[in-house]
Amino acid sequence: MTNKIWPHYCIISCITFLVGCQSGSVEETTKQTEEPKYVPTYNADSAYAYLEAQVAFGPRVPNSVAHQECQEYLVEKLEQFGAEVQLQSFEATAYNGTVLNLNNIIATYQPDKSKRILLAAHWDTRPYADKDSTRIEEPILGANDGASGVAVLLEMARAINQDSLPDVGIDIILFDGEDYGEPENYKEPASESSQQVYWCLGSQYWSKNKHEPRYSAYYGILLDMVGAKNATFYQEGVSRQAAPSILKRIWDTGHQLGHGQYFVYKNSPDIVDDHVYVNYQAKIPMVNIIEHEPTSEFYFADYHHTHADNMDIIGQETLKAVGETVMYVVYQE
């Protein structure tokens, strides 16, 4: 860890400011099934197309035309795929005082089911390339950091609607305002509270203002940066602490399906991402599937928060490994 690792997904050694995690109850046992249940086919070509469609709008930065157009596209696709869709609209103030008009996109399948699984990703993109050496002030396309997780979930929604539904209710939440935090080397004004977190605005808001006041889920899975070629997903620290049995189930399933090169049985540090607020504020155990580059001092591969985060780094094999694994986990409930 270097000085000032407060770019996105700040690596932290402990989370003392988040207390009261209740990872017991649903996390103490992992359901075992005698026979594998039927699982729809996951189509990586479709996932890639949904990713490409998002990137075609340009950077999806809050308050921009591309952000609005992409929102309309995502709502349209989820409704086309049979979900009940609602927008959770809210305003949030960015680190620099900018008022952001944000929308969490919430899609529900089988709302009558009491046992529910929450699947999430963020759909906004970084407003500047603060880790790049050129065009630093320009927003990035966010093919991996933003579009990939959404694309995987859109393909799951298509498959769920086209084929048989799982035995549980599914809620897909696309969080907004996740990537509008302080840029590299930002000097925070002395008057600002050092405890304020300007990342993950959508998940922070939803965790305090759920779309249904009594909403809960058996567990959640967050997908973030899940489309890069030859990506590796290590077992992230908050996920290990808050949702260990679900974490194990996901990684074991990935290996059983032949995706062991992606789901690595090694630990990575805690990071601040949307799952932190779902775990500790919403009290829903959530695992974060997120790429980790162990040789990097910044946790991530060198495309992170640069203009290199474009379609050139995306691999259909990675999208399939993640999507197929999550699909199998959900359908075995």
Side-chain angles (χ1 to χ4, degrees), residues 6 13 17 30 136 156-157 172 182 228 237 277 279 325 327 332:
W6 277 102
S13 59
F17 65 98
T30 302
I136 294 172
M156 286 192 66
I172 295 173
E182 303 93 321
Y277 303 97
N279 272 306
T325 298
M327 185 91 80
Q332 295 312 308

Side-chain angles (χ1 to χ4, degrees), residues 9-24:
Y9 318 101
C10 165
I11 302 176
I12 51 178
S13 59
C14 63
I15 309 179
T16 56
F17 65 98
L18 295 169
V19 296
C21 173
Q22 299 175 352
S23 62

Side-chain angles (χ1 to χ4, degrees), residues 181-194:
E182 303 93 321
E184 287 283 322
N185 302 318
Y186 176 71
K187 303 297 183 182
E188 187 175 40
S191 60
E192 294 289 340
S193 168
S194 62

